[in-house]
Amino acid sequence: MKVGIVGAGLQGRRRAQALTREERTIASVVSLKRSEYDHVFPGLAGAIELAGPLPVSSGDSVVIKINMCGSRTPETGTVTHPAVLDALLRYLRESYENLTISVVESDGTTVLADLFIRWLGYMPILEKWGGRWVNLSKQPMVSHSIKGRHLKEVPVAEVFQDAVFITVPKLKTNLLTGITCCLKNQFGCIPIIEKSVYHPYIHDVVTDINTVLRPDFCIIDAIIAMGGVQGPGTGVPVPFGSVICGRDPVAMDALGARILGFHPGSIGYIRKCARASVGSLRYRLVGDPLPRADFEVNRLEMSLLRLGAALQRRAQLRVRRSW
Amino acid sequence: MDVLAIMDIDAGLAERVAAEFQIPHWCASHETLLEVPNVDLVDICTPPEMRFPIIEAAARAGKHILVEKPLATSLSDALAIREVVNRHGALLNVVTNWRYFPAVLKAKERIASGRLGRIVTMNTLACQPFPSDNTRSTWLYHPAGMLFDFAPHAIDLLMWLCDGIVERVVAFGQDVTGGDMGFTNYLQLLMEFDSRAIASADISWVTGTSRFAVDVHGTGGHISIDVRNNSFLEFHGFFTPLDDTKAFLRRELGITRDVLTGKYFQGAFAYYPRLMQEFIGSIHGIRRAPSPVEQGLMVTAVLDAAHQSLCHGGTPVCIRDLFPSPALYEETVAVLRG
């Protein structure tokens, strides 16, 4: 429902406050369907339909952001599985006509996107369904000025202009942030290679990016998720057998956090994104019941390793300065 | 489970063992043993070369068979054994008791649940000084030496852990005395699996140490098993000082527990009863045989291939080519896969 408030005086302000608060507290629909990599399509299609139709029309431009955070093969739970991308592209092609589909990722500290897209088996899928590979680090950028928590300008690749944005992350633990899922996947939309410079401000930076690049639809590849304490690159692969869909990245991450054993409010960027009205922390789960899995997250160990990582960063900085 | 009879060609030895363990019947020939009423299962602990006639007689008499490893010393013998047991409808299981160490079982469970991702490489190390204490007869001295002694356990563990079929084998081996011992006493095997995993087995009778360890490297993590000490270590990503501390504590606690319960000193013998129970379960149709004849046959094929590779200076040998026909190979693989 679109509401226009006439008058911004005391009453108008109160109405606006009440209505937007109500909007914020509505639970977002998050759908979950059981699935396996051998036959992703039925589960993915079912989950998409349960979460509400994709905000796509024939002739649209669609940008799909996958997660390739290293040269790790898909069964490790590190990168979006090509089978999930295959099923999504099939769904788009079979449901809509004349779509321009771009699959995107950027180069990163540990990501050589142009190589990994070939090495990890995505290219045959793009060729099969007529998708275009776009390395965001090599795209013309449009700069968006924001009053962000850390960023004052967010560079956004031209490919996102007037496009429907679908984010397809993995469900993983993350040593730095606790978890990584829909919201943090947009961190990979920053075109610069040394994204690690943002690590000390990661929660603020992820929030800032999501205020500019909020996905229109989210699909979590949680068929093999990642647990343990050394995610997102080298955690423990955990078969979870699920595809999760939704329109609200905050609600999706709230569910993801709970699955991995975290309170959503304890994850800085989820909390901050909710405050920044990127989405709602409340979700209503529909579809199949939540499977059970042990994600082997030892919070104490994670904290100690985080401390170790901070010490390592400091030591590396000292070495760099001495150069 | 009752042991009703024991046989040895040394009748005096059979009598002594029967008296020690209150076994009602003892004899000096397997034919006599097979005539003892109510025997359902025959446990064959003779050297490999002597097994075929015993297996054949037992199968013909309608007995099920537990047989020591290796099933045979050549693939042709192993195929003949399979043909005999299948013809008579007997069930045969090869002894694979090293699988039952809790550390190994845990590794199997973790690998099967996908926690290591895809298995890329495996290394097993089975080194020990010459086993004079349990090698007092001459039957063991096959020219390939310990290839037919301890290697079957190592190969079986590798195949079982990754649930794979070995396709190609390369082996290099030597006699540390330059030929005086007359058999291979240290060797390395390299195996290529159908899953594209690669495994090495380093097996020796001449080291100053005694160690049986298996390392499994997956795309998603790493497992290291010290089998003799029943110690299991798994880590993902960097092996941190925290991992090291936890592993040390777990290992010491485990060893202390095993020492206090006496299991530490029994070694792999502690796990025979479980193997036997599982085999009996398969006879009753409750579960699959832990190591059926096809499994023993495939291990024998790997041993045979390694032996041929040794004889030809390290030439790669394809397991499929050793089978009399491709159909027979496919049939064996299908049974193992099934």
Side-chain angles (χ1 to χ4, degrees):
Chain A
M1 178 73 71
K2 312 284 185 203
V3 178
I5 300 172
V6 180
L10 186 63
Q11 287 298 331
R13 276 174 58 83
R14 279 185 183 162
R15 294 275 172 80
Q17 195 179 9
L19 287 173
T20 50
R21 188 181 295 144
E22 186 189 336
E23 192 67 35
R24 272 205 298 271
T25 53
I26 287 173
S28 301
V29 174
V30 172
S31 66
L32 181 145
K33 291 295 276 183
R34 303 303 307 271
S35 195
E36 296 298 328
Y37 287 127
D38 292 340
H39 40 86
V40 181
F41 187 76
L44 180 85
I48 289 174
E49 275 147 32
L50 279 172
L54 281 177
V56 177
S57 307
S58 293
D60 276 353
S61 174
V62 177
V63 175
I64 299 167
K65 166 70 173 69
I66 55 171
N67 184 339
M68 280 197 303
C69 84
S71 177
R72 311 285 319 286
T73 41
E75 76 284 349
T76 60
T78 315
V79 299
T80 304
H81 201 290
V84 172
L85 182 65
D86 182 65
L88 173 60
L89 295 191
R90 177 181 159 191
Y91 183 86
L92 289 170
R93 287 292 181 216
E94 289 181 357
S95 309
Y96 309 96
E97 287 173 1
N98 302 323
L99 295 180
T100 306
I101 300 175
S102 306
V103 174
V104 304
E105 179 57 285
S106 66
D107 289 330
T109 317
T110 59
V111 182
L112 307 167
D114 288 330
L115 289 178
F116 295 175
I117 198 79
R118 286 193 285 115
W119 291 356
L120 301 179
Y122 299 103
M123 283 315 272
I125 291 161
L126 292 183
E127 283 158 16
K128 179 173 152 193
W129 297 107
R132 177 170 72 117
W133 158 240
V134 177
N135 182 342
L136 297 176
S137 299
K138 296 177 179 172
Q139 270 273 303
M141 291 287 153
V142 179
S143 195
H144 285 246
S145 298
I146 56 164
K147 288 183 181 172
R149 289 159 189 268
H150 183 77
L151 301 177
K152 301 304 165 207
E153 283 199 345
V154 176
V156 176
E158 272 183 4
V159 69
F160 287 102
Q161 298 287 316
D162 303 321
V164 178
F165 176 28
I166 302 175
T167 192
V168 191
K170 294 293 295 184
L171 176 62
K172 297 187 280 187
T173 50
N174 185 307
L175 182 59
L176 197 62
T177 55
I179 79 150
T180 171
C181 199
C182 295
L183 291 165
K184 196 177 164 293
N185 199 28
Q186 278 66 260
F187 187 64
C189 295
I190 301 177
I192 66 164
I193 292 173
E194 271 211 56
K195 295 180 186 56
S196 55
V197 296
Y198 291 127
H199 280 176
Y201 329 101
I202 188 78
H203 297 286
D204 288 339
V205 172
V206 170
T207 307
D208 291 346
I209 291 174
N210 277 280
T211 55
V212 177
L213 264 178
R214 183 191 188 277
D216 299 303
F217 202 83
C218 312
I219 299 170
I220 305 175
D221 168 10
I223 296 176
I224 293 178
M226 178 176 281
V229 294
Q230 291 204 34
T234 53
V236 184
V238 179
F240 191 65
S242 302
V243 172
I244 306 168
C245 290
R247 285 165 168 261
D248 181 342
V250 179
M252 295 283 280
D253 274 22
L255 172 65
R258 287 205 187 276
I259 290 171
L260 293 173
F262 293 84
H263 188 282
S266 72
I267 309 295
Y269 69 77
I270 299 181
R271 194 176 59 241
K272 290 179 179 188
C273 280
R275 279 193 200 141
S277 298
V278 175
S280 165
L281 279 170
R282 294 183 60 209
Y283 57 83
R284 184 164 63 85
L285 184 63
V286 296
D288 293 338
L290 210 57
R292 286 186 177 194
D294 179 7
F295 284 90
E296 301 170 18
V297 181
N298 182 328
R299 302 283 284 274
L300 174 65
E301 195 177 338
M302 205 174 218
S303 302
L304 288 171
L305 288 178
R306 199 174 291 149
L307 176 68
L311 292 173
Q312 185 188 21
R313 264 201 308 275
R314 225 172 73 172
Q316 283 171 346
L317 267 177
R318 215 175 293 147
V319 171
R320 280 189 196 176
R321 280 187 197 131
S322 71
W323 287 348
Chain B
M1 183 169 54
D2 296 313
V3 180
L4 294 184
I6 186 161
M7 166 264 158
D8 195 276
I9 48 171
D10 179 347
L13 179 63
E15 186 179 6
R16 280 200 303 279
V17 175
E20 187 180 351
F21 295 101
Q22 290 92 47
I23 299 168
H25 301 277
W26 58 268
C27 52
S29 80
H30 65 267
E31 290 90 349
T32 314
L33 182 136
L34 292 172
E35 285 165 9
V36 173
N38 300 326
V39 170
D40 300 310
L41 191 156
V42 181
D43 185 357
I44 301 173
C45 312
T46 63
E49 292 84 349
M50 301 167 186
R51 286 183 199 149
F52 184 74
I54 306 173
I55 290 172
E56 189 176 29
R60 195 180 297 129
K63 316 292 182 195
H64 300 296
I65 301 149
L66 182 70
V67 62
E68 261 298 333
K69 53 77 204 169
L71 179 62
T73 50
S74 70
L75 178 60
S76 53
D77 287 357
L79 285 166
I81 288 172
R82 181 173 71 168
E83 199 276 321
V84 158
V85 294
N86 285 351
R87 188 175 353 124
H88 294 286
L91 288 180
L92 182 146
N93 195 83
V94 182
V95 170
T96 49
N97 50 329
W98 289 83
R99 289 181 188 179
Y100 293 91
F101 276 86
V104 179
L105 289 172
K106 187 169 181 189
K108 172 69 178 172
E109 184 254 313
R110 298 290 291 175
I111 294 166
S113 70
R115 305 284 166 133
L116 255 63
R118 193 194 318 154
I119 302 307
V120 182
T121 56
M122 296 184 286
N123 315 107
T124 180
L125 184 76
C127 292
Q128 62 178 94
F130 187 76
S132 314
D133 54 340
N134 56 21
T135 311
R136 293 196 179 280
S137 46
T138 54
W139 59 263
L140 201 51
Y141 304 116
H142 185 285
M146 45 4 120
L147 180 64
F148 289 97
D149 179 58
F150 197 78
H153 281 306
I155 293 165
D156 173 71
L157 271 196
L158 293 172
M159 289 174 65
W160 181 66
L161 281 172
C162 78
D163 200 16
I165 310 280
V166 178
E167 291 190 329
R168 275 201 308 168
V169 178
V170 175
F172 293 95
Q174 290 292 343
D175 177 348
V176 74
T177 61
D180 287 345
M181 288 171 90
F183 51 85
T184 306
N185 41 56
Y186 63 99
L187 67 82
Q188 289 215 341
L189 294 178
L190 204 55
M191 290 159 274
E192 193 176 57
F193 285 78
D194 57 349
S195 62
R196 290 183 286 163
I198 301 166
S200 72
D202 186 335
I203 302 158
S204 171
W205 262 345
V206 292
T207 57
T209 51
S210 187
R211 182 170 164 79
F212 182 23
V214 182
D215 285 303
V216 185
H217 312 271
T219 54
H222 173 96
I223 281 177
S224 195
I225 318 163
D226 180 351
V227 186
R228 284 190 205 276
N229 285 317
N230 191 22
S231 158
F232 172 90
L233 163 70
E234 176 180 341
F235 66 92
H236 302 260
F238 292 105
F239 182 61
T240 65
L242 220 55
D243 287 323
D244 204 9
T245 309
K246 283 195 304 184
F248 172 78
L249 291 173
R250 263 203 305 266
R251 178 188 164 91
E252 295 311 307
L253 283 172
I255 289 175
T256 307
R257 187 190 55 227
D258 286 354
V259 166
L260 292 175
T261 58
K263 267 197 168 176
Y264 187 79
F265 307 105
Q266 294 169 10
F269 292 107
Y271 304 103
Y272 269 108
R274 178 156 175 196
L275 171 78
M276 187 66 98
Q277 278 167 7
E278 289 197 358
F279 182 40
I280 291 170
S282 74
I283 292 169
H284 292 310
I286 301 166
R287 53 176 302 139
R288 281 190 73 183
S291 183
V293 65
E294 283 77 16
Q295 188 78 29
L297 191 149
M298 245 344 170
V299 172
T300 305
V302 175
L303 296 171
D304 203 344
H307 185 208
Q308 292 194 23
S309 182
L310 278 175
C311 294
H312 295 96
T315 313
V317 176
C318 190
I319 299 286
R320 179 189 287 265
D321 298 343
L322 294 182
F323 277 74
S325 72
L328 209 53
Y329 173 78
E330 296 297 344
E331 183 194 323
T332 308
V333 170
V335 172
L336 284 172
R337 284 263 165 264

